Structures are given as structure tokens and as C-alpha cells.
Amino acid sequence: MTITSPHLGSPSVWTDARLLHALEEVVETELNRHLKVAKDWMPHEYVPWTDGRNFPGLFEDGVAWEKEQSKVTEVGRIALVVNLLTEDNLPSYHHEIATLFGRDGAWGTWVHRWTAEEGRHGIVMRDYLLASRAVDPDKLEQFRMSHMSEGFESDNRHSMLHSVAYVAFQELATRISHRNTGHQSGDPVCDRMLSRIATDENLHMVFYRNLLKAAFEIAPDPTMQAVRDVVVNFRMPGHGIPGFERAAAQMAIGEVYNLRIHHDDVLQPVLRFLKVLDIDGLGPEGLQAQQELGLFMGGLDAQAAKFDERLAARRARMAARGQA
């Protein structure tokens, strides 16, 4: 199927200011739709408070943390810490999007609403982790201080259009990471909590995805270039977390988030919905970006296939050792 989009301008014509103004009505429409379908929920209702015990400190009856106190799996524990620390940097995220999108009109209303909804995620995850004793609370706080002290600067802060493209994929990536962490956690309570968070993340993805669709309609060339740049250079916002690379490797093996998941469950659904590789009527720069994007996706699929093979071989080795 081919979508025909008029060639309405080059990146030099479509400044951030022009795009913000051109998309204002779309933002208002998507904001109203979001508010109709989004459901408020209470973080405290997802926390197993009766499992909680005092930690050492001000309380004489405090019980020191030990790994065996929680039913959460090792990969679940690792992923929960990464996911929570990613959520913890919300002040930096808010600063970035408020600076890019503004604090007035529909854009500003969305920025504040998004921040309020995202705030619930860090609250409920931290309360769950402490009440269930899933992680070492001292190390968690040390990680939080280290990560937040570094702050966060997006790779796409130079461009409002790049930022919209990034969050369209990143919100879905976060949803998938939360959902899979819940499935791999070994705790039904954790699974329900992260499923609730994943629902929010999906609605945020839909907002940005629909905004990106509108951007393709009014400015196809710069939007195609932005999508190309974001997909090729994509990094999760938690990449600055202490020990992130090791944690990411363990999450990949544990099937929380890896190349196959990134290709099949994050990039492809958004690209297919927008029919990015079928858009016609592009100028030279947009067409080049589209071609490069197609080549990259083919290469990523090949890399994911190699990862699948290595993962299957690893499972076979582990199964053989278990039978020995």
C-alpha cells in the first residue's frame, strides 16, 4: 500500500517554532482523546503493604535486607532496578520536554499531564520494591543518587521533531520492558503492577505516534529524516544508569528486552502503523532517509536472528547441564 504525502518543505523551512504551531490542533485533539480513555488509578492499591517490615535504622526491630526475603527472580530484580531508576529521572525528562514543547496551550497541558501520570510509576515501583523486599534498599538509594545527580540530556534535544519521533518509539519500548519484567518477575503482584504501568505507557505511545503521523502529513521529508536518525541511533533513557551495560545484557538473556524484542515489538509496530517505508512523494533528502531506514531495519533483523541463535544455543547448553 502506498501513501502519497505532498512535499511541503525542507528541514530549513520547518523550524521547531513552525512545527509546534502547525501541530497545536493535533496535540489538542490527541490530548482530549487521551483524557477520555486514560483511567486514574491509585498506586497504593498495587503495593503488598502487609509484606512490609522495618529496616534497620530508627527502628530497633529493623530487619536487614537479604535476597532470599523476596520471591522475585534474579532477572526480575535487575530489570526492576533499571526500570525504576529510569522512571526516577522524571524531573530531567520534564525539563527537556517542557523546554522543547513549551508550557502554554495544548502542548503545555500535555507536558504537565504526562509528567503527572509518569510520576505514579516511580511511586508504585519504589513502594513495591521496599514493601516486598525485592531489592537492597541501600544500594537502590545509592544508585538513585548517582543516576539523578548526573541528570539526563536527550540525544534528540536539538530538535522538537526528533524528540517526538524518539518518544513514539521510547514509550513503546518502556511499555514492553515493564510488561516483560512483570512476566519474568516470578511474582503475580509485581506482574499486575507492571501491567498497570504498561497500560499508561501504551497510551503515551499512541499520543506521540499519532502526533508523528500528523508530522508526516505536513512535513514528510524532515519527519522521515528524524525517524531515520532516531531509529538508527536509538538508546533507552536509562543508558546512564550505573552498570547499565551489564544489566542490559542480563535483561537481554532473560528476554526482558533484547534485539529481537526491539525489532519486532518496538520498531516494527510503529513503522508499520505509520507505513513509513511506503510513503511516496518525498524529496531527495526524505527518499534517502527512507531508503537508509529500510536498509537499517533489514540489518537489524539479521543481527536479531544471530542473537536468537546464540540464545537458543545457550538454552540448549543449560538444559544439557541440568540433565547431566
Side-chain angles (χ1 to χ4, degrees):
M1 179 178 181
T2 299
I3 301 174
T4 300
S5 296
H7 178 50
L8 297 181
S10 66
S12 60
V13 174
W14 283 106
T15 63
D16 278 3
R18 285 193 64 191
L19 282 165
L20 284 166
H21 178 73
L23 292 170
E24 178 82 24
E25 289 187 11
V26 181
V27 172
E28 183 173 3
T29 297
E30 288 303 311
L31 172 62
N32 291 334
R33 180 198 55 76
H34 177 84
L35 293 175
K36 288 180 181 178
V37 298
K39 295 182 180 179
D40 281 341
W41 54 279
M42 304 299 128
H44 59 268
E45 295 179 356
Y46 288 81
V47 179
W49 297 106
T50 54
D51 292 347
R53 286 171 285 172
N54 292 335
F55 289 102
L58 295 178
F59 301 99
E60 294 182 0
D61 61 343
V63 178
W65 179 84
E66 294 180 8
K67 186 181 294 187
E68 294 73 20
Q69 293 166 349
S70 169
K71 66 183 71 173
V72 172
T73 62
E74 184 63 20
V75 68
R77 194 186 330 275
I78 293 166
L80 280 163
V81 170
V82 170
N83 290 357
L84 174 57
L85 293 178
T86 300
E87 300 285 357
D88 272 337
N89 244 341
L90 183 60
S92 286
Y93 307 151
H94 175 85
H95 173 75
E96 290 248 338
I97 65 172
T99 300
L100 280 165
F101 300 157
R103 294 173 173 82
D104 301 319
W107 282 103
T109 302
W110 166 253
V111 166
H112 296 310
R113 174 71 189 196
W114 175 88
T115 302
E117 292 183 3
E118 288 286 340
R120 290 187 181 127
H121 303 168
I123 291 170
V124 70
M125 289 180 68
R126 183 171 301 279
D127 287 345
Y128 166 81
L129 290 175
L130 295 179
S132 68
R133 291 182 168 248
V135 300
D136 183 333
D138 293 343
K139 288 186 177 179
L140 182 64
E141 178 59 13
Q142 291 163 7
F143 281 148
R144 188 190 71 84
M145 288 296 294
S146 175
H147 185 45
M148 292 190 68
S149 294
E150 290 293 324
F152 173 79
E153 289 189 347
S154 169
D155 296 332
N156 304 287
R157 62 188 179 279
H158 63 286
S159 161
M160 167 267 185
L161 193 52
H162 280 71
S163 295
V164 170
Y166 175 74
V167 289
F169 294 102
Q170 181 267 321
E171 292 283 3
L172 181 54
T174 304
R175 173 209 166 194
I176 296 297
S177 182
H178 283 312
R179 187 197 67 187
N180 289 344
T181 298
H183 293 344
Q184 301 292 344
S185 69
D187 181 7
V189 175
C190 180
D191 196 14
R192 286 194 296 271
M193 173 193 66
L194 292 177
S195 177
R196 175 60 260 187
I197 293 175
T199 298
D200 279 2
E201 303 290 8
N202 194 63
L203 290 178
H204 297 164
M205 179 276 293
V206 170
F207 178 94
Y208 288 118
R209 183 195 65 187
N210 291 351
L211 196 57
L212 191 58
K213 181 176 185 291
F216 266 116
E217 292 170 356
I218 65 172
D221 279 0
T223 304
M224 184 67 73
Q225 292 175 79
V227 169
R228 182 267 320 273
D229 293 344
V230 164
V231 169
V232 169
N233 300 296
F234 186 87
R235 295 195 298 174
M236 290 293 277
H239 61 80
I241 292 171
F244 177 78
E245 290 186 3
R246 176 176 172 77
Q250 292 169 303
M251 290 167 66
I253 293 171
E255 297 185 85
V256 172
Y257 201 96
N258 56 40
L259 277 178
R260 174 54 63 199
I261 293 169
H262 183 61
H263 178 276
D264 290 1
D265 298 339
V266 176
L267 298 182
Q268 283 284 31
V270 176
L271 294 175
R272 277 198 304 265
F273 177 87
L274 298 173
K275 299 181 174 64
V276 171
L277 298 180
D278 297 321
I279 292 176
D280 200 0
L282 296 165
E285 293 175 332
L287 182 60
Q288 180 180 349
Q290 186 183 50
Q291 292 171 342
E292 290 174 353
L293 180 60
L295 290 172
F296 175 82
M297 290 300 294
L300 184 63
D301 188 37
Q303 292 179 47
K306 292 180 180 178
F307 174 82
D308 291 342
E309 293 174 1
R310 293 195 298 269
L311 189 59
R314 183 179 185 276
R315 287 201 202 100
R317 289 195 302 270
M318 293 182 67
R321 290 170 187 167
Q323 293 173 359

